[in-house]
């Protein structure tokens, strides 16, 4: 039986691999872990605590009904970042504008965090897995000043760290700092995230495709060509593949990362720029998938090469096993769009 490695031990060991590291990022990653343990507690009780279930009644900046647990999670992460001292500002799916923290300690923080505190929150009331997604950057603005919008609008290639927390049958934290992907499972009996999925790699190909096929008639016809390819009988390529769509990005992404597969949410007339958000959904997951050997594009370019222009910018999103993403791209490139 191998020794348990806690997240904290792992982070400290990895920090030792970088002699120049001063510990700020290590502390920030630990702050994210602590906040996600607290959110786990609230998520696990969501069905019981009246003041959590049900819509907040307000509508968030995305035009979506805001679930109370969204607000709870958002506030929890913001408080952790503001108190931790490593972060000078944040951008959150749940907040119209970015936040520049005001304390002198926070203004000396070297990092900004873009995050979706609880993605897939419409699934809370039906007890389906949900997740937190986060992206960490070095600030551009001078240390000692307030964070700026420019700090938030950096391309994904500039990420220092990216990852997610999946509140599923167990709570898992999966992240990368650019040196591979590692997954940690929360052991509730000791309150520690323990290394359960070291050096995660996604299979070159897979047999799972994840799409809201309700959009198939209104998006680029290349997607229909690809789904029909997935559904064809061909034992030599393991087809037909299986359609698996939970409607919770982190859950769909995590399953496909482990088993091999592809998730795609194309632009549609209802969402002409895409549904998913570049900064705090697509970039961090693109960082993870590329570090695990997969690909992430918007249908025309790498997600992480896109220069953001606004905080809640939406993009089309294709992410998963390398060969499956390449095959979908081939379908898009070889299918004419009717004028
Ligand atoms: P649709 C949840 O709101 C989310 O952002 C992702 O988690 C999920 O994959 C997608 O939207 C679901 O969207 O249009 O299929 O309901």
């Amino acid at each position: 039986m191998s020794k348990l490695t806690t997240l904290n031990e792992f982070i400290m060991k990895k920090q030792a691999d970088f002699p120049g590291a001063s510990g700020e990022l290590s502390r920030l990653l630990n702050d994210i872990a602590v906040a996600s343990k607290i959110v786990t507690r609230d998520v696990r009780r969501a069905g019981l605590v009246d003041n959590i279930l049900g819509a907040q009644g307000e509508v968030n900046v995305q035009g979506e009904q805001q679930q109370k647990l969204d607000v709870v999670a958002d506030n929890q992460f913001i408080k952790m970042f503001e108190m931790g001292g490593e972060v000078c500002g944040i951008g959150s799916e749940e907040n119209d504008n970015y936040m520049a923290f005001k304390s002198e300690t926070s203004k000396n923080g070297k990092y900004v965090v873009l995050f979706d505190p609880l993605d897939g929150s419409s699934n809370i009331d039906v007890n389906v897995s949900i997740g937190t997604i986060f992206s960490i950057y070095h600030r551009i603005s001078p240390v000692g000043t307030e964070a700026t919008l420019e700090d938030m609008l950096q391309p994904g290639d500039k990420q220092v760290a990216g990852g997610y927390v999946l509140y599923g049958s167990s709570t898992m934290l999966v992240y990368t700092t650019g040196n591979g992907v590692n997954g940690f499972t929360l052991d509730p009996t000791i309150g520690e995230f323990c290394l359960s999925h070291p050096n995660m790699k996604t299979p070159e190909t897979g047999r799972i495709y994840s799409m809201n096929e309700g959009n198939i008639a209104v998006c680029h016809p290349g997607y229909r060509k690809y789904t029909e390819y997935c559904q064809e009988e061909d034992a030599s390529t393991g087809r037909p593949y299986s359609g698996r769509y939970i409607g919770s990005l982190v859950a769909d992404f995590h399953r496909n990362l482990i088993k091999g597969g592809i998730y795609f949410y194309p632009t549609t007339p209802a969402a002409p720029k895409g549904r998913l958000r570049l900064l705090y959904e697509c970039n961090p997951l693109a960082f993870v998938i590329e570090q695990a050997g997969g690909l992430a594009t918007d249908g025309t370019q790498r997600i992480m090469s896109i220069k953001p222009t606004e905080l809640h910018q939406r993009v089309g999103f294709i992410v998963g096993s390398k060969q499956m993403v390449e095959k979908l791209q081939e379908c898009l490139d070889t299918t004419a769009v009717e004028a």
Side-chain angles (χ1 to χ4, degrees), residues 164 217 319 333:
Y164 58 89
V319 63
D333 295 343

Side-chain angles (χ1 to χ4, degrees), residues 21-246:
S22 50
E24 286 106 333
L25 181 61
S26 298
R27 283 191 293 275
L28 174 48
L29 290 168
N30 270 303
D31 288 347
I32 290 172
V34 172
S36 58
K37 290 178 194 175
I38 295 168
V39 172
T40 295
R41 178 201 62 197
D42 296 331
V43 166
R44 300 294 177 221
R45 294 186 304 155
L48 302 173
V49 182
D50 290 346
N51 71 329
I52 285 200
L53 264 189
Q56 173 84 2
E58 293 171 8
V59 172
N60 71 14
V61 66
Q62 314 300 332
E64 295 163 345
Q65 196 79 336
Q66 191 155 340
Q67 298 278 345
K68 286 182 179 175
L69 202 51
D70 275 349
V71 178
V72 171
D74 192 40
N75 292 337
Q76 187 55 55
F77 279 99
I78 290 172
K79 185 170 66 179
M80 186 61 74
F81 292 139
E82 193 159 19
M83 304 298 285
E86 312 305 343
V87 175
C88 60
I90 60 101
S92 164
E93 188 209 19
E94 297 302 337
N95 300 73
D96 296 5
N97 301 308
Y98 75 96
M99 291 175 70
F101 297 144
K102 305 300 183 188
S103 76
E104 290 310 312
T105 302
S106 294
K107 286 194 279 189
N108 286 318
K110 294 180 182 170
Y111 298 100
V112 296
V113 184
L114 286 301
F115 67 103
D116 184 348
L118 219 50
D119 179 76
S121 53
S122 55
N123 294 298
I124 294 169
D125 288 353
V126 294
N127 203 17
V128 166
S129 300
I130 48 186
T132 297
I133 315 172
F134 62 89
S135 188
I136 301 172
Y137 293 86
H138 285 298
R139 69 185 300 174
I140 296 171
S141 53
V143 171
T145 65
E146 289 192 14
T148 64
L149 181 59
E150 184 191 18
D151 289 327
M152 312 295 161
L153 300 183
Q154 300 184 53
D157 277 327
K158 295 285 190 184
Q159 289 176 98
V160 172
Y164 58 89
V165 182
L166 175 60
Y167 309 98
S169 46
S170 62
T171 294
M172 274 198 74
L173 171 63
V174 177
Y175 79 93
T176 182
T177 56
N179 297 288
V181 179
N182 292 281
F184 302 80
T185 299
L186 180 63
D187 180 339
T189 64
I190 59 174
E192 290 281 3
F193 278 104
C194 301
L195 181 64
S196 53
H197 296 68
N199 193 26
M200 298 178 81
K201 292 296 179 189
T202 196
E204 278 262 307
T205 190
R207 298 190 59 255
I208 295 170
Y209 69 99
S210 306
M211 175 195 191
N212 178 345
E213 294 194 61
N215 293 322
I216 201 70
V218 297
C219 60
H220 185 297
Y223 291 97
R224 182 193 292 277
K225 183 173 182 179
Y226 181 69
T227 55
E228 289 172 352
Y229 167 83
C230 294
Q231 293 156 5
E232 284 168 357
E233 188 90 30
D234 181 337
S236 68
T237 56
R239 289 179 291 151
Y241 295 156
S242 295
R244 291 281 185 279
Y245 189 71
I246 299 169

